[in-house]
Amino acid sequence: MNPVKRPEAIRKLEVGITGFDQISEGGIPEGRTTMVVGTAGSGKTLLALQFLVEGVRQYEDAGVLVTFEEPGDDLIRNVESLGWDLASLIEQNLIAVVDASERPGEAIVEAGAFDFSALLARIESAIRRVDAKRVILDSVGALFSQFADSNIVRRELHRLAAGMRELGVTVLFTSERPDDYGPISRFGVEEFVADNVVILRNGLEQEKRRRTIEILKFRGVSHQKGEYPFTIDATSGVTIIPLSAMELHQRSSEVRISSGNSELDEMCGGGLFQDSIVLASGATGAGKTLMVTGFMDAGIKAGERSLLFAYEESPEQLFRNAASWGIDLKAAEQTGLFKVVARYPESMSLEDHVVKMKREIAAFEPSRVAVDSLSALERVSTLKSFREFVIGVTSYFKQEEIAGMFTNTTSMLLGGESITEAHISTITDSIILLRYVEILGEMKRGLTVLKMRGSWHQKAIREYTIDAGGMQIQEPFHNVSGILSGSPTCTPLVEKQRLAEMFEPLE
Amino acid sequence: MKRLLRLYVTGRSARSLRAIEKLTLLREDLEGDVEFEIIDVLEHPEFAEDDNVLATPTLIRLQPLPIRKIVGDLGDREKVLEVLVDSIGMSRRAESPLTPHEDKTEKRP
């Protein structure tokens, strides 16, 4: 007789998929069964396989792949494009395959009672062969089509899960569901088998596909709640963007850096903070790209790496513009202090943009990053994913202590605000407004620091001009009001005096 | 023509023993030389792997082709014979007695 086992606290097994361990607060429960459900094409199989492959790669955990749906050879071929060489992992006895997929022409006839002991014996033998810690079953839905009585299949799956639990392995199995929102899975497997349920969704929202992952339940342990966007790409498979799960205790830097314009630094109370995010907002032609160029240049001059994500102009255009303001970005690019990444916003989904941006940043290790413009990205997304995108990017910047500058194009020439402004103003640390000001039939430009988190800043609206030397900030506007609302009115001095004399002081 | 039937069982479970018993009875029902094999999946999971057997008991008609699989404790004798016997080379003994030994089979839940 074995001594009675004391219940142990449930530990978690790190999955090794980017973002997953954050939203799951450390991985999936170890030694338990976790079900991954999703509609067709939601990425279940890939996620499961990645759990296996990353186990080998990062943690030296051997694994067993049990396939019910696709023949093993097909699965191996499918993931070759991701650079996963399953065949060699199998050769090295790091992964074992139990191919339980239906073979063509082999119909099964049922005559009497049966159980899945043979399957369990096969899995057990595979586990022992490679000394596996991780097991995946993909997808159990296929078992229901092989056997007529789904009650028996459910009962046997339950037994299978119990059998694997005794072996101490952590099991991930996939199951189909008919809809993104509805019953958890077809055949109601989850009630019988899974301690934990993870849902993958691939919903259509305003004509755009949006993949999300949600941890629905982890029995007995905590996890982050809600849906998190994720991407699937050819280099890293599944990447989860763990937005709100990101830690908010970023260090706050007191170090000031130059914005590239000494007057503007002065207006901000001595420069921008090293780890702050600045939003420069203005109408087309107001000088946003100029501000970004100056911001990049200041970094380059200080000997720091600066990275620019351009979504509106090509590198050549940017270099030409910069040269016209007397800034040689081309030379900086050659010395390796500057890099520009130009992409069409429409070339991929916003989630993919995030992943690509992070990859560029991780490779270049800049201390300054600018995005010109953020509002161009707004075009290709829904409001929700745009907001998530901005949160994701800004928190990444903060985590890496990168100074960021975003630009935003307002739709109206005078005054006005855009969706970008309304939605991300609370996320950014500083906001600089660039506005056209029409005074007595003449177009002037005005600039103001609307917000500067953690610091005093000048409240005045200053006039500025753009010439061959870049942006020249002049004196504040006098006797003009209503600039920000888009309807500036001049108050002549005489009038001002008259107003002052309207009231008589009380005796 | 070779005739080969292979029965997969799990150890000495009641269901397995019942299937073995039914298989012995089945010998009487089939004409000519039929080879019988009994494989315990606990001892030889690799055979189960090669034959892609999930459930036990499973009876496989390996020869003659095509491969036929019958899952269950073979309680339903008529059904078993129906699957096994066809014109290709396995036939039923003419004087096959239809003894009611299928009555003791386990009822499925």
Side-chain angles (χ1 to χ4, degrees):
Chain A
M1 272 277 289
N2 289 327
V4 178
K5 273 189 201 153
R6 224 174 260 278
E8 277 177 48
I10 301 161
R11 286 193 301 169
K12 282 183 180 169
L13 179 75
E14 270 186 40
V15 170
I17 295 173
T18 313
F20 192 94
D21 295 316
Q22 271 159 291
I23 64 165
S24 59
E25 297 179 359
I28 59 172
E30 193 170 11
R32 301 276 180 131
T33 305
T34 300
M35 176 170 79
V36 178
V37 290
T39 51
S42 60
K44 303 180 293 291
T45 305
L46 190 67
L47 184 89
L49 280 170
Q50 202 168 344
F51 166 70
L52 217 56
V53 171
E54 297 299 341
V56 173
R57 274 189 185 166
Q58 297 180 37
Y59 309 97
E60 293 176 9
D61 287 351
V64 170
L65 157 64
V66 185
T67 171
F68 297 115
E69 205 157 15
E70 279 182 90
D73 293 344
D74 285 6
L75 276 180
I76 292 167
R77 219 168 302 129
N78 290 349
V79 297
E80 258 172 18
S81 61
L82 291 162
W84 298 349
D85 193 354
L86 280 184
S88 92
L89 294 180
I90 293 165
E91 241 167 63
Q92 295 167 55
N93 261 336
L94 292 165
I95 284 179
V97 179
V98 174
D99 191 342
S101 61
E102 212 174 338
R103 294 182 193 168
E106 269 190 26
I108 294 174
V109 178
E110 288 173 44
F114 61 90
D115 55 46
F116 283 172
S117 299
L119 178 60
L120 183 58
R122 286 165 68 183
I123 296 174
E124 201 174 327
S125 139
I127 290 172
R128 292 197 198 287
R129 196 164 69 239
V130 298
D131 193 17
K133 265 190 94 172
R134 304 179 177 211
V135 177
I136 63 169
L137 285 78
D138 180 66
S139 111
V140 298
L143 277 178
F144 288 89
S145 61
Q146 286 189 39
F147 296 94
D149 192 337
S150 48
N151 282 325
I152 295 182
V153 178
R154 270 196 290 269
R155 183 196 72 202
E156 288 306 311
L157 276 175
H158 181 69
R159 249 172 39 92
L160 210 60
M164 286 188 286
R165 180 182 285 200
E166 262 171 44
L167 294 168
V169 289
T170 306
V171 181
L172 200 77
F173 74 92
T174 63
S175 183
E176 282 259 318
R177 67 196 301 232
D179 296 303
D180 273 331
Y181 295 91
I184 292 176
S185 77
R186 221 168 252 166
F187 314 111
V189 201
E190 70 284 352
E191 301 155 43
F192 290 84
V193 191
D195 302 311
N196 317 300
V197 179
V198 174
I199 300 178
L200 302 183
R201 294 190 177 91
N202 187 21
L204 197 58
E205 211 173 282
Q206 291 174 28
E207 300 177 3
K208 280 158 200 125
R209 284 276 168 208
R210 183 164 174 271
R211 294 182 186 277
T212 61
I213 180 166
E214 179 188 7
I215 297 173
L216 187 71
K217 69 165 183 181
F218 269 4
R219 201 171 277 165
V221 282
S222 66
H223 58 86
Q224 295 282 327
K225 289 162 189 72
E227 293 182 32
Y228 294 89
F230 74 92
T231 63
I232 293 177
D233 67 45
T235 357
S236 44
V238 172
T239 306
I240 298 161
I241 303 156
L243 304 175
S244 46
M246 285 196 205
E247 292 151 35
L248 249 179
H249 43 78
Q250 293 113 355
R251 273 169 292 170
S252 201
S253 175
E254 285 295 313
V255 180
R256 299 260 192 176
I257 58 167
S258 172
S259 67
N261 186 306
S262 52
E263 283 89 0
L264 183 60
D265 289 345
E266 214 172 279
M267 288 176 78
C268 294
L272 308 166
F273 288 116
Q274 171 58 46
D275 62 351
S276 71
I277 311 288
V278 182
L279 177 70
S281 179
T284 172
K288 297 182 300 296
T289 303
L290 168 60
M291 274 197 77
V292 163
T293 310
F295 178 69
M296 294 278 99
D297 186 46
I300 295 160
K301 286 210 174 93
E304 297 166 346
R305 290 167 187 273
S306 303
L307 179 59
L308 172 60
F309 291 97
Y311 295 104
E312 288 185 339
E313 288 167 297
S314 68
E316 287 70 32
Q317 276 174 303
L318 284 163
F319 289 142
R320 199 185 54 210
N321 294 345
S324 77
W325 300 312
I327 297 169
D328 193 355
L329 288 181
K330 191 110 201 157
E333 193 192 35
Q334 273 150 10
T335 59
L337 281 176
F338 176 71
K339 187 176 177 185
V340 56
V341 177
R343 277 198 194 102
Y344 274 113
E346 285 82 1
S347 62
M348 55 187 102
S349 81
L350 218 47
E351 286 80 12
D352 291 321
H353 277 296
V354 180
V355 173
K356 292 265 155 69
M357 272 172 117
K358 284 188 179 176
R359 208 169 284 154
E360 295 281 357
I361 291 170
F364 192 65
E365 295 180 343
S367 53
R368 289 178 186 222
V369 175
V371 179
D372 187 32
S373 73
L374 206 55
S375 34
L377 290 171
E378 184 190 304
R379 289 202 304 264
V380 300
S381 71
T382 60
L383 219 64
K384 199 154 108 199
S385 28
F386 182 67
R387 199 179 154 78
E388 284 173 351
F389 165 79
V390 178
I391 296 172
V393 170
T394 48
S395 42
Y396 184 69
F397 281 17
K398 298 218 162 227
Q399 185 193 318
E400 302 291 314
E401 289 188 45
I402 291 170
M405 183 178 276
F406 299 150
T407 66
N408 167 51
T409 308
T410 51
S411 49
M412 287 157 74
L413 222 48
L414 302 162
E417 64 166 27
S418 70
I419 297 168
T420 309
E421 218 168 78
H423 277 80
I424 73 158
S425 56
T426 51
I427 299 161
T428 58
D429 299 298
S430 309
I431 299 175
I432 297 167
L433 294 182
L434 305 171
R435 289 284 188 264
Y436 284 108
V437 187
E438 188 196 336
I439 296 168
L440 303 170
E442 207 183 327
M443 268 306 197
K444 291 179 184 298
R445 292 180 171 112
L447 172 152
T448 188
V449 179
L450 192 68
K451 160 177 152 184
M452 178 84 194
R453 205 171 264 167
S455 167
W456 170 93
H457 64 91
Q458 217 176 77
K459 314 289 190 290
I461 302 172
R462 305 264 300 257
E463 187 184 353
Y464 68 94
T465 55
I466 296 173
D467 60 25
M471 182 183 280
Q472 313 296 338
I473 298 178
Q474 324 266 334
E475 294 303 302
F477 284 97
H478 279 300
N479 312 318
V480 183
S481 58
I483 292 174
L484 291 186
S485 64
S487 49
T489 36
C490 263
T491 323
L493 274 174
V494 199
E495 178 112 355
K496 216 177 175 186
Q497 233 158 28
R498 215 169 41 217
L499 279 168
E501 287 164 2
M502 257 174 87
F503 305 100
E504 274 182 38
L506 287 170
E507 288 293 318
Chain B
M1 188 178 281
K2 195 180 174 186
R3 291 147 191 169
L4 175 60
L5 295 182
R6 185 178 279 171
L7 177 69
Y8 281 93
V9 294
T10 317
R12 303 191 57 79
S13 70
R15 213 170 269 155
S16 298
L17 294 177
R18 201 154 43 231
I20 293 169
E21 186 197 323
K22 298 285 175 201
L23 188 73
T24 331
L25 290 169
L26 210 60
R27 282 171 192 266
E28 295 165 18
D29 292 331
L30 296 168
E31 204 171 70
D33 282 342
V34 181
E35 257 183 75
F36 288 85
E37 284 179 3
I38 295 173
I39 289 175
D40 184 349
V41 291
L42 300 180
E43 283 173 34
H44 297 289
E46 70 279 5
F47 279 91
E49 189 66 50
D50 291 343
D51 285 334
N52 191 24
V53 174
L54 304 182
T56 51
T58 293
L59 181 65
I60 306 182
R61 187 185 80 180
L62 287 166
Q63 302 275 352
L65 292 172
I67 289 174
R68 293 272 157 88
K69 277 183 182 171
I70 304 167
V71 159
D73 59 10
L74 310 179
D76 191 339
R77 177 157 156 254
E78 274 305 304
K79 201 169 183 181
V80 173
L81 285 169
E82 197 181 296
V83 177
L84 290 181
V85 171
D86 54 28
S87 53
I88 308 176
M90 198 166 271
S91 51
R92 195 167 168 171
R93 228 179 268 252
E95 70 275 23
S96 164
L98 260 178
T99 42
H101 54 223
E102 56 266 22
D103 292 341
K104 284 177 278 176
T105 54
E106 183 188 329
K107 288 282 175 286
R108 286 216 309 246

